[in-house]
Amino acid sequence: MVFSQGHWWWASLLCLVWLGQAQAGVAITDESYNEDLRFTQLPDGKVLSEFKFIRRIGPLALAKVRDNHYSLLPRSVGEIVQTFGVEELHLTFTQGTWNHQKWGYSPLGAAAGVQLWSWFNTSSVDKQWKGLTHALAGLFCASLNQIDQSNTAQPLLSFLPEGDYGEELPQDVLELRYGSLPHEAVCTENLTPWTKLLPCQTQAGIASLFNAYRLFDGHYHSMGTHIRPIITDDAGRGMEFVQTLSVVLNPLRLDNRKDWSLSSLFERKIASACALASDTKVVVTVPSHPASTLNSPPLSVLTDSHERLSAHYNLDLSTPKDTDFGVTWEDSKVDHGVNRSRWYIDAHRYQTGYGGERGGLAVDLRNHHPTADLDIIYFEAIPWYLKLYLHTLRAETAADASHEIIKDMYYQPAIDRGRPAVLEMKMTLPANSTTTLHLEFDKAYIKYTEHPPDANRGFDIGAAVITFTAIPESPPSPHDIPPQVRIHTETVLVSLPTPDFSMPYNVITLTCTLMALYFGSVFNMLTRQYQPVIVKG
Amino acid sequence: MRADPFTAELKVPAARSAVAQSLSRPNSEDPVVRIPVWIGVVLRIILFFFTNASSFLQLRVEVSTPVTSWKRLREGLYLYQNGIAPYEGGVFHQAPLLLAIFNFLPPILIPILFIALDYAIARGLVEIAQYKRKLQIAEIWPAPTSDDSLIDAVPVEAPKPEIPSPENTPADSVAWLRKPASDDDVLQSTDDIPQSVHKRKNVNFASQEEDIVPPWLANDNCRLVQGDSAHAPINAPQLKPSDPTQPVDVILHPEDIGAMYLLNPYSIITCLSQSTLLFTLIAIVGGIQYAIKGNRNASMLFIAVAAYLSFYPAMMMAPAILLLSTQTSRPVMQALKSALPLFLAFLVALLGLSYLLVGTWDFLPSTYGVILSVPDLTPNIGLFWYFFIEMFEQFRPFFLCVFQIMVFIFVIPIALVFREHPLFVAYATTAIMAIFKSYPSVGDTALYLAFFTMHQELYKYMRNMFLVFNALFFASILGPLFHYLWVYAGSGNANFYFAITLVFGLAQIILLTDTGHALILREWERLHPDLRRKRVELVHQ
């Protein structure tokens, strides 16, 4: 029995070790981190780089998060999500406008400035929304706290939940808030806190390419933070935390050649793979054209039916340091790039009218489809200082539309200093036609304290959002077929009439003088009496 | 045209000596006297249907305020018809029952409705003027007693010789002193003094008569038969023809007041802009008109409608109750006690009806709340907008209270002091509203100018008519110009337009106080027959 006693000790010890390993193993599979980088050379020679940092937090890890035990998920993000009852959060910082006509569609395209929308599963949503914007303002060093009730909207159709909610959470208990700051300038101060949320920060992995000097030198820059619930294999709801960054850089600017490499675009190379990433993928998409050569041999090459050539690379810890990718063109005059998938819908928005008193908004909505009428949802949140006249709304089309273009409309009138006007319309655009929406507004005269310091620059009106079900114009590559496609119009700059900012004291004194004159002279009139008096010489 | 300040002044001397004829003139039975009124109506029809003046004026800040604008009413109507709560938003601030009116009105009838409203306002003003005419005729000027102990006891010193004699005309009563006509008159008998003044006046007018007669009066009956009318026998016993110290007044032609209103450019552009202010104006006029008739119910209904539409006309209770008490020969307090519950009942009924119409009480903050708290700072001709654009945020509630109290503070004092003159109280109240309401427009000005023209006997006691009407005239011309420079051309800033609204307000305040002083002076003269030509001074009580 001595023998067996010793065995029992060993067995129990082994058992403990095994149990511990098993637990560690569960924890590892419950959370995962992937990096994904895609380069696409656009038809005009510009290079679009799309960075994606995907973290999947399983239900077990999420349960630990509730006990304040964080591993992959940044604590600052986890606390925000828990404190404010956020189920889903989408925040983008964007500079420049994504050019749909030239560049095709990008799932990372967003409205200029800051755009934030979030689904809440909580009571007192307005309070939580306010807390959320303030917390995010602190987290990202942005003026997100300026998203208050006066520019918060609740779209009904345009922003549906994107996560998997499973059975136990019906989506009708969720509440949506949408806010945007079109005038927000995005800069390094927002990028730095954003990169600090990455597991390897900018020390390793694809994020080591982040050179702020080059990123903010591009034609378009959009930085996104997305949180949504997912259902993993284990029963229970997990969370997906995705950080995205897309930037359009122009290699032609220096030497008028379309050649590019990481070092020419970013003045950096990928230092090494991030050790925490289970998978680091780099895809370079070029037109399959004999004039183009990939700088480094890819792991695999796929050619799709649309003459696009995708070179796949995988980075891991064995990859040599300072890896560089790129494309060299034999002939700089070759004038075609990758045709990204396009949808049939285009939109442009502009201002009409002149003068400081009133104006109008016009939106050109184009349906390129040769035969099919397409349904879209048009969403617009216009700040209260443009007083919309809904009775002036009209939709004009060149096509002989036998049916109504505007199928359904949801309109929430603005309240002065309280909330924006929200216009959401279901529209059917006739095939192969341009529909123009016209809407008139009065410009409000606002208090002198409500003007920004650069009052004569004007006010930015946030982009309108057009949502539709995707019908691709050209076969898309498998990774970019979203269920709902959103494109954004341009922001519009509207100048409001300004008072004289140097005058408050003068105005107060002059007007009060008039009031005093009135009071004094009427008081005088009411209290005087005539008396005969003796007048001596 | 006739409401133009210059012609209004001209009319005084032109018809000054026509007392007898105007008394005997048939009261608005002669169709000729109605011509100016119909010119006003035809002018509106032409401008409405043959020019695009209406669509231009609808957008002018001088006429279309946030609480009366036609474009905003259309927006409210559109929202209402499409099942969107019109009062939830920040655009529509007008009373719910207006929605009910325009909901069923075919578009072609809308201009006709506004013209009809303006015509009805003019007819109401004519009826009020008929009452005023009766008052004028019935006005009693006590005759001077033969022995004036005061005058005899205190010989009045002669005025300084360097004072020029033309100032002796009553309209120019310098420094509120009424001086004897000449140096020699002082120690003469009391009978002589006024006669000499009287003669001097006659000479003056006789010499100027040919120049003064305006063309539209050239064929007027009263002018044709005038002759040397100052010495013509006057049949009306009330006018004391034997008393030469009494001022010679024009007896009002009621139709002229209607014409004054309908030809006033302010009221023309208000009508053309389809401002819903006209509904308020007709309710005010109706309230006064029925108070004159002694019809308490109708009067209170109209005033309740006016108060319901734009809040401030609740002040019209003061003149209406004074009129009701005089017309029904009851004490004021008794009239108030019987009328006030009625007014409140009508008001509550109107609000209840509105509630039934829109199904929510949201309209209360969106109409009266907006009028009181002035969140919409769109420029108008008033004093609020720029003041509250420039106001420091922490003082905003304080000054809002001060400004709103300022509107109401003098209503009761004025009603008490001028209780013998309810129509003057009506004039003063409408003028105060037009100057100090939060969203005034020139339509308010047009209304009180009509009441002003009813008090023609006061013109010659007023000191600042020239200044006032020049200021009004130039402000009316420069206002749109400066607004254009600010908002469209960008070559001027907001101060330009603000300065013009200040001038406009200043002119109206001077007009109001000047008229008040003139009435007090005239009343004093009337009630102190023995001192009429003596030197008196205004002192505090």
Side-chain angles (χ1 to χ4, degrees):
Chain A
M1 294 316 281
V2 174
F3 175 77
S4 60
Q5 203 174 12
H7 262 282
W8 183 83
W9 270 105
W10 278 111
S12 54
L13 200 65
L14 275 171
C15 204
L16 273 174
V17 169
W18 180 80
L19 270 176
Q21 275 184 336
Q23 280 232 303
V26 166
I28 286 163
T29 52
D30 199 27
E31 287 187 320
S32 71
Y33 173 58
N34 294 307
E35 293 187 350
D36 185 298
L37 172 59
R38 287 166 197 273
F39 293 103
T40 312
Q41 192 143 24
L42 300 166
D44 55 1
K46 298 190 178 72
V47 177
L48 165 69
S49 323
E50 293 168 300
F51 297 81
K52 256 188 186 176
F53 307 89
I54 305 158
R55 266 168 276 195
R56 287 198 166 82
I57 317 293
L60 291 178
L62 211 54
K64 282 187 181 174
V65 159
R66 285 187 198 107
D67 300 332
N68 276 341
H69 182 88
Y70 291 86
S71 54
L72 262 179
L73 186 70
R75 187 184 180 115
S76 49
V77 173
E79 280 179 346
I80 286 175
V81 168
Q82 283 185 63
T83 313
F84 301 110
V86 173
E87 284 296 331
E88 199 171 304
L89 177 131
H90 301 269
L91 169 67
T92 51
F93 292 86
T94 310
Q95 225 171 11
T97 304
W98 180 262
N99 191 336
H100 283 276
Q101 275 176 315
K102 265 190 182 168
W103 300 341
Y105 170 76
S106 163
L108 304 184
V114 172
Q115 199 181 17
L116 170 67
W117 55 282
S118 179
W119 283 94
F120 291 88
N121 178 22
T122 172
S123 54
S124 66
V125 178
D126 288 329
K127 194 171 150 246
Q128 303 290 46
W129 169 248
K130 189 179 175 192
L132 176 69
T133 54
H134 281 70
L136 291 174
L139 187 59
F140 292 110
C141 295
S143 340
L144 279 161
N145 52 334
Q146 287 176 4
I147 297 182
D148 53 8
Q149 283 304 309
S150 73
N151 54 0
T152 297
Q154 298 176 51
L156 295 182
L157 307 165
S158 299
F159 295 90
L160 299 179
E162 289 181 356
D164 298 328
Y165 286 87
E167 300 294 320
E168 81 263 33
L169 188 61
Q171 292 184 5
D172 49 3
V173 304
L174 299 177
E175 276 210 61
L176 172 65
R177 292 292 181 275
Y178 168 90
S180 71
L181 291 175
H183 184 33
E184 183 75 4
V186 183
C187 201
T188 321
E189 63 188 19
N190 310 115
L191 181 71
T192 309
W194 184 83
T195 53
K196 281 193 178 149
L197 299 178
L198 297 172
C200 295
Q201 300 207 353
T202 55
Q203 303 303 313
I206 56 174
S208 56
L209 292 174
F210 288 174
N211 174 0
Y213 289 107
R214 305 312 303 263
L215 288 183
F216 290 106
D217 197 22
H219 292 252
Y220 174 80
H221 169 97
S222 176
M223 198 168 79
T225 311
H226 305 274
I227 295 170
R228 65 188 183 106
I230 48 168
I231 305 284
T232 51
D233 294 340
D234 318 324
R237 223 143 36 88
M239 180 208 276
E240 189 184 55
F241 175 55
V242 182
Q243 287 178 273
T244 62
L245 189 140
S246 71
V247 57
V248 175
L249 299 172
N250 191 359
L252 282 84
R253 210 166 64 178
L254 288 178
D255 48 7
N256 205 23
R257 282 187 65 84
K258 294 164 86 173
D259 303 347
W260 62 268
S261 65
L262 295 187
S263 44
S264 76
L265 288 181
F266 299 101
E267 292 174 341
R268 297 265 168 93
K269 291 171 183 172
I270 297 177
S272 65
C274 176
L276 287 169
S278 54
D279 191 16
T280 305
K281 222 187 267 175
V282 178
V283 179
V284 178
T285 309
V286 289
S288 75
H289 192 274
S292 63
T293 324
L294 294 164
N295 289 357
S296 49
L299 197 67
S300 64
V301 176
L302 294 172
T303 312
D304 66 14
S305 61
H306 216 72
E307 306 246 307
R308 284 185 295 207
L309 188 144
S310 306
H312 290 250
Y313 302 88
N314 253 335
L315 298 186
D316 51 32
L317 292 174
S318 62
T319 313
K321 285 194 94 178
D322 293 339
T323 317
D324 201 350
F325 305 99
V327 177
T328 312
W329 295 80
E330 281 173 22
D331 180 3
S332 66
K333 285 178 187 149
V334 171
D335 191 27
H336 59 102
V338 172
N339 287 315
R340 289 174 65 85
S341 54
R342 292 181 57 177
W343 319 110
Y344 287 102
I345 309 287
D346 263 335
H348 283 292
R349 191 176 62 165
Y350 47 94
Q351 197 190 347
T352 59
Y354 63 94
E357 212 173 4
R358 57 184 66 88
L361 283 176
V363 192
D364 285 343
L365 298 164
R366 209 163 299 142
N367 177 4
H368 298 290
H369 199 284
T371 52
D373 296 352
L374 294 180
D375 292 333
I376 62 161
I377 297 162
Y378 180 85
F379 167 77
E380 182 136 60
I382 296 188
W384 63 269
Y385 41 78
L386 299 189
K387 294 181 177 294
L388 290 189
Y389 289 103
L390 192 64
H391 74 266
T392 62
L393 174 72
R394 58 182 205 281
E396 286 176 350
T397 178
D400 47 337
S402 52
H403 53 72
E404 289 271 317
I405 290 173
I406 300 173
K407 295 278 187 211
D408 204 357
M409 190 196 305
Y410 164 72
Y411 179 67
Q412 181 197 50
I415 294 177
D416 288 359
R417 299 171 185 89
R419 71 174 189 208
V422 179
L423 178 63
E424 205 165 17
M425 291 185 289
K426 269 188 186 168
M427 302 172 70
T428 302
L429 302 181
N432 198 14
S433 71
T434 304
T435 305
T436 308
L437 293 175
H438 294 278
L439 190 55
E440 286 177 25
F441 57 79
D442 277 358
K443 298 174 184 175
Y445 292 77
I446 58 180
K447 298 175 197 164
Y448 87 117
T449 47
E450 287 169 334
H451 281 280
D454 52 348
N456 286 301
R457 179 186 173 276
F459 287 79
D460 290 273
I461 307 304
V465 182
I466 291 133
T467 315
F468 48 94
T469 319
I471 301 177
E473 191 171 301
S474 51
S477 43
H479 74 275
D480 54 14
I481 305 183
Q484 254 195 332
V485 176
R486 261 190 291 275
I487 60 174
H488 303 87
T489 64
E490 300 87 349
T491 56
V492 170
L493 187 62
V494 177
S495 65
L496 298 186
T498 52
D500 184 344
F501 293 99
S502 62
M503 279 279 282
Y505 288 102
N506 302 352
V507 170
I508 292 166
T509 46
L510 286 171
T511 310
C512 287
T513 305
L514 208 62
M515 285 288 177
L517 176 81
Y518 161 71
F519 187 90
S521 51
V522 173
F523 191 80
N524 183 340
M525 173 179 96
L526 295 179
T527 52
R528 283 221 169 182
Q529 265 198 345
Y530 289 107
Q531 298 288 343
V533 294
I534 303 159
V535 182
K536 283 180 181 166
Chain B
M1 271 159 57
R2 222 191 260 192
D4 187 79
F6 303 112
T7 58
E9 269 201 321
L10 278 176
K11 201 169 178 316
V12 183
R16 180 185 294 272
S17 48
V19 174
Q21 285 68 33
S22 52
L23 276 176
S24 58
R25 182 182 170 196
N27 190 5
S28 62
E29 281 159 14
D30 187 354
V32 175
V33 300
R34 296 198 178 199
I35 285 177
V37 170
W38 285 107
I39 287 176
V41 173
V42 170
L43 195 62
R44 280 165 173 74
I45 292 174
I46 291 171
L47 289 172
F48 253 121
F49 291 104
F50 300 101
T51 69
N52 58 0
S54 177
S55 55
F56 169 74
L57 288 169
Q58 276 171 23
L59 303 175
R60 293 300 313 170
V61 290
E62 294 85 359
V63 259
S64 288
T65 66
V67 295
T68 60
S69 153
W70 173 248
K71 193 176 183 187
R72 290 181 188 241
L73 180 79
R74 274 180 65 197
E75 174 70 6
L77 201 58
Y78 181 86
L79 295 180
Y80 177 69
Q81 285 168 344
N82 286 281
I84 304 167
Y87 293 100
E88 217 185 292
V91 171
F92 182 60
H93 304 300
Q94 302 175 36
L97 290 183
L98 289 175
L99 290 177
I101 294 175
F102 287 102
N103 198 11
F104 302 107
L105 203 67
I108 185 66
L109 288 183
I110 288 167
I112 294 171
L113 171 71
F114 279 98
I115 295 171
L117 277 178
D118 237 9
Y119 180 70
I121 292 171
R123 296 285 1 138
L125 287 169
V126 168
E127 277 207 32
I128 296 170
Q130 274 164 358
Y131 171 70
K132 172 72 185 166
R133 177 190 165 91
K134 277 183 207 150
L135 286 184
Q136 258 187 322
I137 294 168
E139 194 177 44
I140 294 166
W141 282 72
T145 50
S146 52
D147 54 341
D148 185 338
S149 57
L150 183 66
I151 295 295
D152 290 342
V154 185
V156 178
E157 190 58 37
K160 303 254 180 326
E162 61 263 28
I163 294 175
S165 57
E167 294 191 1
N168 290 332
T169 54
D172 296 320
S173 50
V174 176
W176 298 99
L177 291 177
R178 306 295 306 278
K179 288 173 293 296
S182 71
D183 303 350
D184 303 330
D185 290 342
V186 179
L187 296 175
Q188 289 174 358
S189 72
T190 47
D191 286 335
D192 289 338
I193 301 163
Q195 269 174 4
S196 65
V197 173
H198 198 67
K199 274 173 196 159
R200 184 182 293 274
K201 276 198 298 191
N202 276 337
V203 169
N204 286 347
F205 286 123
S207 62
Q208 293 170 14
E209 206 160 71
E210 304 312 316
D211 303 326
I212 285 169
V213 177
W216 57 84
L217 280 181
N219 295 324
D220 199 328
N221 291 338
C222 64
R223 298 295 311 168
L224 287 175
V225 293
Q226 185 176 353
D228 191 10
S229 58
H231 297 293
I234 294 170
N235 300 326
Q238 295 93 336
L239 287 174
K240 304 278 182 197
S242 57
D243 176 11
T245 63
Q246 173 186 343
V248 182
D249 290 333
V250 188
I251 296 295
L252 209 56
H253 296 173
E255 286 292 331
D256 286 354
I257 305 301
M260 288 275 184
Y261 176 78
L262 281 181
L263 295 178
N264 188 336
Y266 292 154
S267 84
I268 292 175
I269 65 173
T270 306
C271 179
L272 287 175
S273 73
Q274 305 188 357
S275 160
T276 53
L277 180 72
L278 284 189
F279 289 91
T280 310
L281 297 190
I282 195 166
I284 291 174
V285 169
I288 299 296
Q289 191 185 338
Y290 280 100
I292 286 169
K293 287 180 181 166
N295 187 338
R296 190 185 62 205
N297 295 354
S299 170
M300 284 304 116
L301 174 63
F302 272 105
I303 294 197
V305 168
Y308 163 78
L309 289 174
S310 47
F311 184 72
Y312 291 108
M315 291 194 279
M316 295 310 290
M317 282 293 281
I321 284 173
L322 288 179
L323 280 168
L324 281 173
S325 97
T326 40
Q327 293 304 98
T328 55
S329 315
R330 295 161 76 186
V332 174
M333 282 317 287
Q334 210 181 334
L336 178 68
K337 269 181 205 155
S338 67
L340 192 61
L342 212 56
F343 169 77
L344 292 176
F346 281 128
L347 201 57
V348 168
L350 285 167
L351 294 176
L353 214 57
S354 308
Y355 174 76
L356 291 181
L357 188 73
V358 292
T360 148
W361 291 111
D362 279 351
F363 70 91
L364 290 177
S366 192
T367 51
Y368 311 113
V370 164
I371 288 171
L372 286 176
S373 67
V374 201
D376 192 320
L377 299 168
T378 309
N380 51 47
I381 58 166
L383 301 171
F384 277 65
W385 64 275
Y386 203 47
F387 189 80
F388 288 105
I389 282 180
E390 297 275 8
M391 178 48 65
F392 307 108
E393 200 55 41
Q394 60 268 40
F395 294 120
R396 194 181 147 82
F398 169 73
F399 277 103
L400 260 181
C401 293
V402 170
F403 274 42
Q404 299 287 7
I405 288 170
M406 211 57 136
V407 188
F408 291 94
I409 191 166
F410 279 126
V411 175
I412 291 174
I414 283 178
L416 290 176
V417 169
F418 298 110
R419 59 189 172 280
E420 306 291 329
H421 306 272
L423 279 185
F424 185 84
V425 177
Y427 156 71
T429 318
T430 47
I432 289 170
M433 274 196 291
I435 306 168
F436 293 106
K437 72 198 276 193
S438 48
Y439 295 107
S441 75
V442 293
D444 298 288
T445 312
L447 179 71
Y448 87 77
L449 283 182
F451 278 108
F452 173 71
T453 49
M454 281 179 207
H455 296 85
Q456 291 170 353
E457 73 276 9
L458 300 181
Y459 292 172
K460 50 187 164 293
Y461 293 88
M462 291 174 64
R463 294 178 297 167
N464 297 317
M465 286 272 269
F466 182 73
L467 172 77
V468 164
F469 282 98
N470 267 300
L472 285 183
F473 177 73
F474 286 113
S476 306
I477 300 292
L478 289 179
L481 286 179
F482 283 176
H483 185 261
Y484 178 83
L485 288 187
W486 168 33
V487 170
Y488 287 96
S491 49
N493 66 13
N495 300 340
F496 285 52
Y497 184 70
F498 166 64
I500 282 302
T501 61
L502 271 189
V503 169
F504 197 75
L506 180 70
Q508 296 184 94
I509 290 170
I510 293 176
L511 179 66
L512 174 64
T513 53
D514 202 7
T515 328
H517 277 295
L519 180 62
I520 293 172
L521 184 64
R522 188 173 190 276
E523 280 301 286
W524 191 90
E525 272 199 6
R526 184 169 76 83
L527 300 174
H528 295 77
D530 296 329
L531 292 170
R532 265 179 215 152
R533 299 296 169 197
K534 297 297 179 292
R535 194 167 183 179
V536 294
E537 192 167 300
L538 203 63
V539 296
H540 269 290
Q541 216 164 4

